[in-house]
């Protein structure tokens, strides 16, 4: 719940399905698709509005992005103690081989399958920031042999630590990055480098228990440290700080944070950066708490950032933070859109199809914050979250609040990159529907999300005596359905065109077709054969699509068969809107009355079960498209233009760098840590 992570497979597919666009690529100069290997696809994201930022904001972004890039080695080392040695050996060999290939190009170039395998393996190591798959956390093996590797290194004059050989080639050595297996020592059996060699789970837990802070404003003991065994076999804490563990990288980060201070937009932002610097210098956890509070209070700045030891999923005991960074700035266009919706919250409430007795007399919309990512680093790169919700400490969230944002330009890149991948050609019924979707699919997707978040959840009221948990295990499915239906119903309202949120009276049809197709058919690609639908958002989408399908007595929607394939056909969009309105009224009634029996029946009848034949067909059609399930990004390149005094007078942004070039450059220019830390 802390962070919307693209690492969560479900969320990722949710995105790719909710927004998958169609049709051959439009002629745009921006290249979203960069590279594809194994189950991974590399995309590029645009940074719209960068040119409209003030010079000071650009200077700030430049310094913060340098502070971001200098942390890359930290993550490699946290992910495994051999990772830096392996990466550097592979890169040295790769550079030697590419220069040889370059020479050979003029004469007789020989195709070498081992070189291709080396390149693929290295690309994968870069993607995972180590030798374990970024999502499954299983170790992946090279497609070249140890014999070839040893001989190639020798020929190239590349020296390496022989200890990396079993780590790379023996499937039994360090097979899992973070193990969650029952009954085994989680620390000893995890390849992650959050604990020194020989430290056991019991020893680590005993140390944490002895040092735990139980005060009302507790220090997060262990957030920024590694527990190791000293020569007497005692547990010792090595703190991540300047002069301590990872100090060589943190020095550079501190340098660039100091540079960033010069360009801070206001005092609140300045205070937060100062606290972050002090924390990196001292490792003092009280300072970290002060930083979190200062950061969460800084709401007015356009530019914002995450930089440091943040999420704790990769530590098998869930305590130590993994290093990450993301620099971003407020997306003013999108923020304006959500403000328009919030301002009209009362109009939406009054005009919804729900019974007047379930309406709120006075309703307030919330305006969602939407940001543009400017650089991704550490555990946010190349695979990245599409939202941020920080800080993690519950007492700070309660007392001082939190920041929750969605990252619009990354969502946009996923949409654009999906164009022409064949998905909509396979599943949408005809050219006309695809053309409509190409034109309006993205705007409908954004708007539906905004309506869902800004007014959908906040609408309606409970009858006296009814509590939020009355619908028990079905509460979240019903609640998501309610917010989705609110959004769907108003997506088709002329009011949105009037407010300037939709470009034409026809546009909503793209969103309606997509909802029905996804809910009835295409979201099934995420379900294994024979399984039910479990996840609340998926249940809610099928509930809506199925209910409407069953109640379409005038064939407003139907499923037709053509050449052995099934397609969704919408005959009457107005009628479809009426059905959404009817269902919204009923779901609101169930919620307001706390009618558990009706909720249970609704969910069990429409949301859970899957038609096995249709499911098989969809899976087979999807498999043929050969789409990469995981995506990651390359960053833009920022270049500072300096005057004779060394002052930054402008910052240029460039999008032309490729995946391999980017990683080789980062390894060359931003690699301060020794092989062994
Ligand atoms: Zn929701």
């Amino acid at each position: 719940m802390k962070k919307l992570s693209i690492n969560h497979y479900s969320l990722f597919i949710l995105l790719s399905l909710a927004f998958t666009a169609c049709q051959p690529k439009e002629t745009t100069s921006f290249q979203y698709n960069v590279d594809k290997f194994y189950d991974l696809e590399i995309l590029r994201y645009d940074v719209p509005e960068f040119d409209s930022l003030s010079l000071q904001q650009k200077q700030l972004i430049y310094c913060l992005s340098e502070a971001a890039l200098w942390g890359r080695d930290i993550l490699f080392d946290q992910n495994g103690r051999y990772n830096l040695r392996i990466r550097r050996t592979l890169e040295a060999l790769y550079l030697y081989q590419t220069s040889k290939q370059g020479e050979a190009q003029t004469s007789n170039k020989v195709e070498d399958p081992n070189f291709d395998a080396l390149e693929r393996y290295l690309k994968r190591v870069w993607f995972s920031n180590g030798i374990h798959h970024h999502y499954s956390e299983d170790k992946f093996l090279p497609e070249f042999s140890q014999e070839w590797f040893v001989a190639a290194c020798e020929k190239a004059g590349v020296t390496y630590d022989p200890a990396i050989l079993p780590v790379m080639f023996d499937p039994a050595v360090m097979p899992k990055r973070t193990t969650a297996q029952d009954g085994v020592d989680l620390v000893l059996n995890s390849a992650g480098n959050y604990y020194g060699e020989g430290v056991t789970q019991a020893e680590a837990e005993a140390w944490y228990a002895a040092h735990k802070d139980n005060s009302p404003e507790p220090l997060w003991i262990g957030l920024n440290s590694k527990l190791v065994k000293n020569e007497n076999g005692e547990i010792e804490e090595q703190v991540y700080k300047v002069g301590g563990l990872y100090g060589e990288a943190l020095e550079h980060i501190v340098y660039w944070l100091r540079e960033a201070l010069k360009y801070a937009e206001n005092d609140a932002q300045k205070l937060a950066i100062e606290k972050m610097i002090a924390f990196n210098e001292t490792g003092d956890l009280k300072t970290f708490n002060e930083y979190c509070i200062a950061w969460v209070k800084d709401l007015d700045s356009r530019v914002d950032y995450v930089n440091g030891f943040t999420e704790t999923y990769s530590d098998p005991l869930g305590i130590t933070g993994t290093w990450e960074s993301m620099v971003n700035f407020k997306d003013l266009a999108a923020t304006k859109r959500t403000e328009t919706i919030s301002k009209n919250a009362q109009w939406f409430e009054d005009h919804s199809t729900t019974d007047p007795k379930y309406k709120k007399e006075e309703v307030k919309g919330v305006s969602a914050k939407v940001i543009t990512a400017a650089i991704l680093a550490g555990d946010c790169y190349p695979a990245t979250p599409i939202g941020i919700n920080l800080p993690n400490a519950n007492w700070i969230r309660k007392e001082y609040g939190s920041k929750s944002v969605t990252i619009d330009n990354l969502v946009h890149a996923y949409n654009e990159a999906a164009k022409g991948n064949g998905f909509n050609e396979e599943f949408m019924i005809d050219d006309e529907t695809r053309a409509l979707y190409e034109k309006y699919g993205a705007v409908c997707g954004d708007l539906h999300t905004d309506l869902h978040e800004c007014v959908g959840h906040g609408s309606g009221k409970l009858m006296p005596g009814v509590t939020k948990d009355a619908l028990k295990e079905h509460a979240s499915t019903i609640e998501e359905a309610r917010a989705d239906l609110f959004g769907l119903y108003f997506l088709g309202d002329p009011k949105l065109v009037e407010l300037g949120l939709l470009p034409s009276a026809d546009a909503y049809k793209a969103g309606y077709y997509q909802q029905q197709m996804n809910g009835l058919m295409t979201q099934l690609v995420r379900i294994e054969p024979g399984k039910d639908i479990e996840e609340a958002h998926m249940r809610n989408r099928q509930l809506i699509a199925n209910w409407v399908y069953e109640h379409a007595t005038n064939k407003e929607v139907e499923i037709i068969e053509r050449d052995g394939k099934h397609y969704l056909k919408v005959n009457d969009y107005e009628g479809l809107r009426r059905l959404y309105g009817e269902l919204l009224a009923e779901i609101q009634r169930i919620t307001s009355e706390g009618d558990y029996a009706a909720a249970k029946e609704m969910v069990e009848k429409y949301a859970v079960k899957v038609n096995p034949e249709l499911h098989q067909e969809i899976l087979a059609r999807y498999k043929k498209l050969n789409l990469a399930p995981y995506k990651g990004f390359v960053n833009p390149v920022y270049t500072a233009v300096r005057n004779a005094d060394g002052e930054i007078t402008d910052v240029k942004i460039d999008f032309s760098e490729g995946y391999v070039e980017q990683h080789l450059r980062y390894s060359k220019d931003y690699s301060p840590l020794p092989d062994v830390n």
Side-chain angles (χ1 to χ4, degrees):
M1 107 127 244
K2 299 285 160 58
K3 195 164 85 166
L4 302 174
S5 176
I6 207 72
N7 288 342
H8 294 293
Y9 187 63
S10 58
L11 232 167
F12 154 66
I13 297 274
L14 178 156
L15 256 180
S16 72
L17 288 185
F19 302 103
T20 304
C22 65
Q23 288 287 36
K25 273 196 148 1
E26 54 188 276
T27 41
T28 160
S29 55
F30 199 89
Q31 275 301 317
Y32 289 93
N33 306 76
V34 177
D35 202 350
K36 201 175 158 190
F37 44 93
Y38 295 102
D39 52 356
L40 309 170
E41 188 177 2
I42 306 297
L43 312 178
R44 181 178 282 119
Y45 59 93
D46 198 359
V47 187
E49 295 183 354
F50 181 78
D51 290 330
S52 70
L53 296 174
S54 69
L55 174 61
Q56 186 189 350
Q57 289 164 338
K58 289 181 185 174
Q59 289 161 324
L60 178 59
I61 286 175
Y62 177 78
C63 297
L64 291 172
S65 61
E66 288 292 305
L69 295 176
W70 277 104
R72 179 166 174 262
D73 280 356
I74 297 176
L75 180 65
F76 271 86
D77 198 68
Q78 284 187 310
N79 278 344
R81 63 176 64 90
Y82 296 98
N83 282 337
L84 284 171
R85 275 170 275 184
I86 292 171
R87 189 192 82 199
R88 285 167 177 161
T89 306
L90 292 168
E91 285 167 350
L93 185 57
Y94 179 79
L95 285 170
Y96 173 83
Q97 298 264 358
T98 31
S99 72
K100 284 284 124 192
Q101 285 221 336
E103 283 170 27
Q105 225 134 52
T106 43
S107 52
N108 297 327
K109 191 186 164 194
V110 191
E111 291 298 325
D112 182 354
N114 282 314
F115 173 76
D116 293 341
L118 172 74
E119 185 177 65
R120 278 199 301 278
Y121 181 65
L122 179 55
K123 281 181 176 180
R124 219 176 184 189
V125 168
W126 285 330
F127 193 95
S128 298
N129 295 283
I131 57 168
H132 297 85
H133 191 278
H134 76 288
Y135 179 73
S136 75
E137 305 200 29
D138 293 327
K139 186 165 88 175
F140 47 83
L141 296 171
E143 292 170 75
F144 49 84
S145 70
Q146 180 169 327
E147 291 68 36
W148 177 82
F149 179 72
V150 169
C153 284
E154 198 170 311
K155 196 171 156 212
V158 171
T159 54
Y160 59 91
D161 180 349
I164 67 174
L165 293 176
V167 177
M168 282 172 64
F169 292 98
D170 184 345
V173 175
M174 298 186 152
K176 195 93 185 165
R177 193 175 75 198
T178 317
T179 192
Q181 205 190 318
D182 269 349
V184 305
D185 187 307
L186 298 179
V187 171
L188 286 179
N189 287 285
S190 294
N193 192 20
Y194 294 89
Y195 300 90
E197 273 178 275
V199 175
T200 66
Q201 181 179 349
E203 287 167 331
E205 283 173 343
W207 191 92
Y208 288 133
H211 292 80
K212 193 172 166 42
D213 181 3
N214 291 311
S215 65
E217 300 188 351
L219 307 180
W220 193 306
I221 303 290
L223 175 74
N224 61 335
S225 66
K226 174 177 173 179
L227 296 183
V228 298
K229 250 180 201 175
N230 65 18
E231 53 272 30
N232 304 323
E234 297 149 349
I235 297 294
E236 240 176 43
E237 191 186 29
Q238 289 183 345
V239 177
Y240 305 152
K241 61 172 187 175
V242 172
L245 189 53
Y246 302 144
E248 300 89 339
L250 293 168
E251 266 172 40
H252 287 277
I253 291 168
V254 163
Y255 171 85
W256 282 106
L257 290 175
R258 257 191 227 297
E259 289 295 297
L261 269 186
K262 296 179 187 168
Y263 309 111
E265 295 175 84
N266 53 55
D267 288 345
Q269 186 176 53
K270 205 169 167 194
L271 178 68
I273 297 174
E274 281 167 350
K275 293 289 180 190
M276 179 41 82
I277 292 170
F279 173 61
N280 279 322
E281 286 179 331
T282 62
D284 175 40
L285 291 163
K286 189 161 181 298
T287 308
F288 180 72
N289 285 347
E290 289 163 5
Y291 156 75
C292 289
I293 293 164
W295 179 78
V296 94
K297 281 183 174 172
D298 171 20
L299 293 172
D300 296 331
S301 308
R302 176 98 189 259
V303 177
D304 206 356
Y305 63 94
V306 176
N307 183 308
F309 302 95
T310 310
E311 303 294 345
T312 58
Y313 309 112
S314 297
D315 170 2
L317 302 183
I319 289 171
T320 304
T322 303
W323 197 89
E324 69 173 41
S325 184
M326 178 185 291
V327 182
N328 62 74
F329 57 93
K330 256 182 222 158
D331 178 339
L332 295 184
T335 304
K336 193 168 162 248
R337 194 177 69 214
T338 65
E339 277 169 7
T340 304
I341 291 170
S342 301
K343 260 188 236 153
N344 288 280
Q346 193 66 52
W347 187 93
F348 290 118
E349 183 76 357
D350 296 344
H351 290 79
S352 91
T353 54
T354 57
D355 191 306
K357 69 180 175 216
Y358 305 136
K359 289 185 198 289
K360 273 188 184 140
E361 293 79 23
E362 210 180 313
V363 65
K364 276 199 177 62
V366 290
S367 47
K369 283 176 193 65
V370 186
I371 60 167
T372 300
I375 203 104
L376 310 168
D379 211 21
C380 296
Y381 171 86
T384 196
I386 49 148
I388 301 169
N389 188 345
L390 289 171
N392 281 332
N394 279 326
W395 71 270
I396 299 179
R397 298 172 71 86
K398 234 195 209 152
E399 243 170 273
Y400 299 93
S402 60
K403 288 186 195 172
S404 173
V405 296
T406 53
I407 309 167
D408 229 21
N409 62 329
L410 301 183
V411 173
H412 184 74
Y414 289 121
N415 291 341
E416 288 296 320
K419 285 187 179 176
N421 70 6
F423 187 90
N424 291 343
E425 284 76 359
E426 178 59 40
F427 291 108
M428 286 187 167
I429 188 164
D430 52 28
D431 290 346
E432 195 192 331
T433 308
R434 281 199 296 272
L436 188 76
Y437 190 76
E438 181 182 17
K439 211 164 170 190
Y440 301 121
V443 68
C444 285
D446 284 348
L447 213 46
H448 182 247
T449 306
D450 294 342
L451 287 164
H452 175 119
E453 299 294 344
C454 302
V455 285
H457 280 304
S459 73
K461 67 175 181 191
L462 302 179
M463 291 292 96
V466 175
T467 58
K468 269 186 174 166
D469 49 10
L471 303 180
K472 295 182 216 171
E473 75 272 22
H474 301 303
S476 46
T477 299
I478 294 293
E479 176 57 17
E480 290 309 320
R482 200 175 68 85
D484 256 3
L485 284 162
F486 199 90
L488 285 166
Y489 181 72
F490 285 111
L491 193 61
D493 198 299
K495 179 80 174 175
L496 295 194
V497 183
E498 194 187 299
L499 290 172
L501 295 169
L502 270 187
S504 89
D506 262 2
Y508 77 97
K509 294 176 181 173
Y512 279 20
Y513 189 89
Q514 204 278 340
Q515 148 62 30
Q516 284 304 116
M517 179 185 79
N518 188 37
L520 282 176
M521 300 166 62
T522 46
Q523 75 164 355
L524 296 179
V525 302
R526 294 159 59 192
I527 303 292
E528 284 174 46
K531 292 264 166 70
D532 288 341
I533 298 180
E534 302 284 351
E535 199 270 331
H537 290 85
M538 289 188 71
R539 281 188 169 185
N540 123 54
R541 279 190 220 109
Q542 178 168 298
L543 188 159
I544 295 171
N546 244 341
W547 187 96
V548 163
Y549 179 65
E550 275 217 16
H551 289 76
T553 42
N554 298 317
K555 289 226 157 112
E556 288 90 344
V557 288
E558 56 181 328
I559 290 180
I560 60 147
E561 195 185 332
R562 204 170 59 199
D563 306 327
K565 291 177 176 180
H566 290 85
Y567 296 91
L568 175 85
K569 187 161 185 271
V570 179
N571 299 311
D572 176 6
Y573 280 99
E574 278 291 314
L576 188 50
R577 179 166 189 243
R578 261 192 320 274
L579 290 166
Y580 287 146
E582 269 176 46
L583 183 56
L584 171 61
E586 172 59 5
I587 294 279
Q588 183 61 56
R589 185 199 67 76
I590 291 173
T591 305
S592 293
E593 300 288 345
D595 188 343
Y596 174 75
K600 184 172 151 70
E601 200 197 327
M602 185 75 90
V603 172
E604 284 175 357
K605 189 164 177 200
Y606 298 109
V608 179
K609 291 289 170 206
V610 172
N611 172 335
E613 284 112 63
L614 183 63
H615 190 194
Q616 284 291 353
E617 178 198 315
I618 301 290
L619 288 176
R621 287 162 71 184
Y622 181 72
K623 193 160 177 246
K624 273 197 189 148
L625 297 173
N626 196 24
L627 303 178
Y630 304 103
K631 314 231 191 276
F633 290 97
V634 290
N635 282 315
V637 182
Y638 296 93
T639 312
V641 181
R642 293 175 187 273
N643 65 15
D645 299 324
E647 292 157 349
I648 301 173
T649 55
D650 194 9
V651 178
K652 302 268 182 230
I653 185 167
D654 180 85
F655 298 97
S656 59
E657 194 166 44
Y659 179 70
V660 172
E661 294 161 85
Q662 181 150 92
H663 282 276
L664 288 173
R665 181 171 66 87
Y666 286 174
S667 292
K668 184 165 126 310
D669 294 348
Y670 301 95
S671 193
L673 291 186
D675 282 347
V676 180
N677 289 279

